[in-house]
Amino acid sequence: MQSVAAALVRLGEVASSPTVSRLATAFAAAGHELALVGGPVRDAFLGRVAHDLDFTTDATPDQILAIITPISEAHWDIGRQFGTIGAKIAGETVEVTTYRADSYDGESRKPDVVFGSSLEDDLLRRDFTVNALALRLPEMKLVDPSGGIDDMLEGRLRTPSSPAVSFGDDPLRMMRACRFTAQLGFLVDDETEAALIELAPSIDRISAERVNEELSKLLKTDEPRRGLELLVDSGLAARVLPELPALRLEVDEHHHHKDVYQHSLTVLEQAIGYEKARGNLVSPDLTLRLAALLHDIGKPATRKLEAGGIVSFHHHDVVGAKLARKRLRELRFDNDTIAAVSRLIELHLRFFGYTEGAWTDSAVRRYVRDAGDQLERLHILTRADVTTRNKRKADRLAFAYDDIERRMAELAEKEELAAVRPDLDGEQIMAILGIRPGREVGEAYRFLLELRLDDGPLGEEVAAERLRAWWAERSPA
């Protein structure tokens, strides 16, 4: 953490920027208060780069609009009902919000919006003390009514008011606590942790869309493991992502297998490392991280205790893909993400057959075809799934995957593998067989596609001969 003096220097640099100085001058001229608040102030003390500029004021939304309209290139009031006005000033996006004093009624999934009258009261209703910091502008006065700076020095996460009251006002703050333990590396204090456990069922009041947003933010942190562990240990995961705590399988004294829960967290960590190192995906990649975390959620339902102390999980890939699809749909993820994550889970075991015997070119082509546009993510997930402490086994698997990627590259160069299609298209099929559009054309196309996958490019002449032979041998049915 930065010293207070260093943090104030950083805040001074922010305050002197064209955007902030223009905004501060305009509000002061209009006779209204203005303060930089929350994340930007916190991050100045943590030595982190602030990406958002959030302000709070005693001005009403109408007054905010009147002040910023003359100094902004654009403005919008999509958050007006919550007191927030957005604008683009000197090339930067800012949000200015009227002091708030809203709360939940204990039943509704949305707060009753009530505007407050003072900066200190606004800060005390915020989620955590480390976010309840403000810098009054233009006088550059630091405001910390709940001891947030001390908490940052101690690496402690706690609420400005009683955690029971704070989480009762907005239960989503419990998930934010999990996210901030990961994002900031802080630990929740004992009172906050006890409140998380006691009030976990109240997360059911929060809409699936808001839960989705907070879970996604947690997974997009650089090191989400600590936050996910708190999500599970507090009982929150049992309400919002029950498949995760279900991975903590009971250990049978006669049957032993690796800890599936800890393995899944390790796979997620390793996938994040590969995501950043390979550089072929935009990071953070939420789809990859969801697939890594959930890749083994089919194991609890498929676990079977075999003779000799063996534990099997047959078809957990297929079962897991179905479970992931159902859960992500309930959490309101978009269809593309749901399809991609479930496909990755379904395919995550496919490679391990390669280590049991060299694949034919046909098998390599099918692997690429089945992965489709998820191939790079599948590469990462498969490599990340190796968590064995047996170095010889890990090296063997890594070598095998290096080899399959090499063969993919060679076949791709020779055959345009990423766009595998039959040697003949539908029009050619109909001309050669003398048939009209219909089911038989589709059957012929699939036959030629299988030939292409098995034998590689054949050329139109050979493909036509094979097509005629197949057509002649078809049964009347």
Side-chain angles (χ1 to χ4, degrees):
M1 176 173 161
Q2 303 281 304
S3 68
V4 174
L8 289 174
V9 169
R10 289 171 63 91
L11 287 171
E13 293 171 352
V14 173
S16 63
S17 71
T19 299
V20 179
S21 60
R22 188 179 300 176
L23 200 60
T25 300
F27 272 81
H32 285 288
E33 299 176 4
L34 184 72
L36 182 67
V37 69
V41 183
R42 177 200 69 210
D43 290 342
F45 283 90
L46 296 176
R48 299 161 62 99
V49 176
H51 296 289
D52 301 307
L53 291 176
D54 295 325
F55 301 86
T56 189
T57 179
D58 63 338
T60 66
D62 286 342
Q63 291 169 332
I64 295 171
L65 270 174
I67 294 169
I68 68 171
T69 297
I71 63 171
S72 62
E73 296 101 73
H75 61 268
W76 49 93
D77 61 356
I78 192 170
R80 185 176 188 143
Q81 63 177 319
F82 302 108
T84 300
I85 303 297
K88 190 171 186 178
I89 300 172
E92 289 191 85
T93 298
V94 303
E95 288 190 347
V96 184
T97 302
T98 306
Y99 296 151
R100 296 267 293 274
D102 44 282
S103 64
Y104 282 73
D105 60 11
E107 298 296 333
S108 173
R109 292 187 170 194
K110 294 183 179 180
D112 295 323
V113 178
V114 179
F115 297 141
S117 58
S118 76
L119 174 59
E120 287 74 11
D121 288 346
D122 177 273
L123 294 176
L124 288 171
R125 57 152 287 279
R126 291 178 179 261
D127 53 6
F128 301 103
T129 61
V130 297
N131 294 329
L133 302 170
L135 184 71
R136 285 189 181 275
L137 299 169
E139 57 265 43
M140 290 289 293
K141 180 182 178 182
L142 187 64
V143 182
D144 177 17
S146 57
I149 294 175
D150 289 339
D151 287 336
M152 280 193 284
L153 288 169
E154 297 293 331
R156 178 174 56 226
L157 195 67
R158 65 182 182 89
T159 56
S161 59
S162 160
V165 171
S166 181
F167 296 157
D169 281 346
D170 186 355
L172 190 67
R173 289 173 174 174
M174 295 187 289
M175 289 191 67
R176 285 198 200 118
C178 299
R179 193 234 305 177
F180 284 124
T181 61
Q183 182 177 322
L184 304 178
F186 292 174
L187 295 176
V188 296
D189 70 342
D190 292 342
E191 186 181 5
T192 302
E193 185 173 8
L196 287 173
I197 295 170
E198 180 182 354
L199 298 175
S202 66
I203 196 68
D204 295 346
R205 288 164 37 200
I206 302 303
S207 68
E209 289 81 4
R210 294 185 72 208
V211 169
N212 174 325
E213 181 180 7
E214 200 57 52
L215 177 63
S216 298
K217 287 180 179 179
L218 169 56
L219 287 174
K220 288 179 179 179
T221 61
D222 287 341
E223 298 179 3
R225 185 178 195 133
R226 181 185 288 181
L228 290 167
E229 288 176 336
L230 181 59
L231 195 73
V232 170
D233 294 343
S234 64
L236 286 164
R239 321 292 300 198
V240 301
L241 192 64
E243 292 78 9
L244 185 57
L247 293 174
R248 297 192 294 189
L249 302 175
E250 293 182 9
V251 177
D252 184 277
E253 61 178 322
H254 303 297
H255 296 79
H256 301 284
H257 59 80
K258 62 187 175 186
D259 185 324
V260 183
Y261 169 63
Q262 290 297 330
H263 164 75
S264 297
L265 295 179
T266 300
V267 171
L268 173 60
E269 287 181 323
Q270 295 187 165
I272 291 172
Y274 284 122
E275 170 194 298
K276 295 177 179 178
R278 289 175 71 105
N280 294 332
L281 299 172
V282 175
S283 184
D285 187 281
L286 180 60
T287 297
L288 171 65
R289 297 182 184 199
L290 283 166
L293 181 65
L294 303 179
H295 77 286
D296 273 348
I297 60 172
K299 281 191 171 180
T302 58
R303 184 173 70 155
K304 185 176 181 181
L305 306 181
E306 311 277 6
I310 297 173
V311 181
S312 66
F313 302 97
H314 296 306
H315 306 300
H316 77 268
D317 46 348
V318 177
V319 172
K322 292 179 180 178
L323 290 173
R325 192 177 297 113
K326 181 175 183 292
R327 176 58 53 197
L328 296 180
R329 190 178 295 121
E330 290 179 358
L331 287 173
R332 304 294 192 271
F333 279 91
D334 63 272
N335 291 335
D336 289 344
T337 299
I338 294 171
V341 171
S342 58
R343 188 59 170 158
L344 287 166
I345 294 173
E346 184 179 356
L347 293 175
H348 83 272
L349 291 181
R350 180 78 65 87
F351 156 74
F352 291 96
Y354 187 82
T355 62
E356 298 168 3
W359 280 3
T360 62
D361 285 352
S362 172
V364 175
R365 293 187 193 99
R366 291 174 189 277
Y367 187 78
V368 174
R369 187 273 308 270
D370 291 345
D373 60 2
Q374 299 305 312
L375 184 61
E376 178 61 23
R377 290 186 176 120
L378 185 58
H379 287 334
I380 292 175
L381 177 59
T382 302
R383 288 184 181 275
D385 198 21
V386 178
T387 61
T388 178
R389 296 181 180 178
N390 184 322
K391 188 175 186 304
R392 181 176 298 179
K393 181 179 179 181
D395 288 345
R396 176 171 59 83
L397 290 169
F399 175 81
Y401 210 83
D402 287 343
D403 185 59
I404 194 174
E405 286 202 69
R406 175 189 58 78
R407 290 182 60 194
M408 288 179 195
E410 291 175 352
L411 285 171
E413 185 176 353
K414 290 190 298 184
E415 304 179 8
E416 297 183 1
L417 195 58
V420 172
R421 294 182 178 84
D423 294 275
L424 303 171
D425 61 25
E427 294 291 335
Q428 291 171 303
I429 290 170
M430 289 187 287
I432 291 169
L433 300 181
I435 59 177
R436 298 171 64 85
R439 176 176 55 84
E440 292 172 328
V441 178
E443 292 175 358
Y445 187 92
R446 288 189 290 274
F447 164 73
L448 290 171
L449 179 59
E450 291 299 314
L451 280 183
R452 174 73 171 79
L453 291 167
D454 286 337
D455 301 334
L458 299 173
E460 292 184 6
E461 186 175 341
V462 173
E465 291 178 5
R466 300 283 290 274
L467 176 63
R468 292 189 185 97
W470 169 81
W471 183 255
E473 293 173 3
R474 290 175 78 250
S475 66

